[in-house]
Amino acid sequence: MRLSRPFITRRSVVLAAALFAIGACTDFSSPPPSLGKVLVQLTDETNAGVGGIAVDLLLNDRTTIWRSLRTSSNGSGEFGASDGGVIPQTYIVRVLLTGEQYTLATGETNDKPIQVVIGQTQTVNFKLAKRTVGGPPGA
């Protein structure tokens, strides 16, 4: 079976138009989101941000550190910010207060679980209290 030139030309034009339409509608310049974001916010009794505190993002085994950060001067931080986020799964967020002038506020808990979801931002808040050093007992 011989195909005529007009038929081949028409077919080629239709194919080229379809490829152009598909290419124009799809943006492959960046990969689709596959990570999620985890933000932390540390505040004191006056709701002021507490900077310079170490915070770890742990795997569920509570011993493997996945990411670490130090809070900025306003008390905030983002795990894996330079990587675009973290892999979606369940983590534990732990504040490290050994040797710091702060402790967890009354009623506050450490080791907070967080579920990271693709394309979503999760925020974990911690309330801290200044340690009282010295001073009379009961003060």
Side-chain angles (χ1 to χ4, degrees), residues 56-91:
D56 286 342
L57 186 66
L58 307 167
L59 296 181
N60 274 333
D61 64 8
R62 294 180 188 259
T63 57
T64 306
I65 299 171
W66 190 249
R67 295 280 189 276
S68 293
L69 62 81
R70 281 212 174 263
T71 56
S72 66
S73 60
N74 68 359
S76 66
E78 179 182 345
F79 290 106
S82 62
D83 300 326
V86 295
I87 297 169
Q89 63 183 17
T90 302
Y91 296 98

Side-chain angles (χ1 to χ4, degrees), residues 30-136:
S30 62
S34 60
L35 301 175
K37 294 183 185 274
V38 178
L39 307 177
V40 293
Q41 181 66 51
L42 278 57
T43 55
D44 65 12
E45 310 88 4
T46 65
N47 290 325
V50 180
I53 304 292
V55 185
D56 286 342
L57 186 66
L58 307 167
L59 296 181
N60 274 333
D61 64 8
R62 294 180 188 259
T63 57
T64 306
I65 299 171
W66 190 249
R67 295 280 189 276
S68 293
L69 62 81
R70 281 212 174 263
T71 56
S72 66
S73 60
N74 68 359
S76 66
E78 179 182 345
F79 290 106
S82 62
D83 300 326
V86 295
I87 297 169
Q89 63 183 17
T90 302
Y91 296 98
I92 305 296
V93 180
R94 179 181 293 163
V95 178
L96 306 173
L97 295 169
T98 305
E100 295 291 340
Q101 60 181 349
Y102 288 91
T103 186
L104 291 172
T106 303
E108 182 66 84
T109 59
N110 209 344
D111 287 7
K112 293 185 178 182
I114 186 90
Q115 178 66 45
V116 177
V117 178
I118 292 174
Q120 293 184 12
T121 300
Q122 309 296 326
T123 302
V124 182
N125 296 298
F126 289 93
K127 189 65 102 175
L128 304 180
K130 270 217 187 248
R131 287 186 196 265
T132 53
V133 179

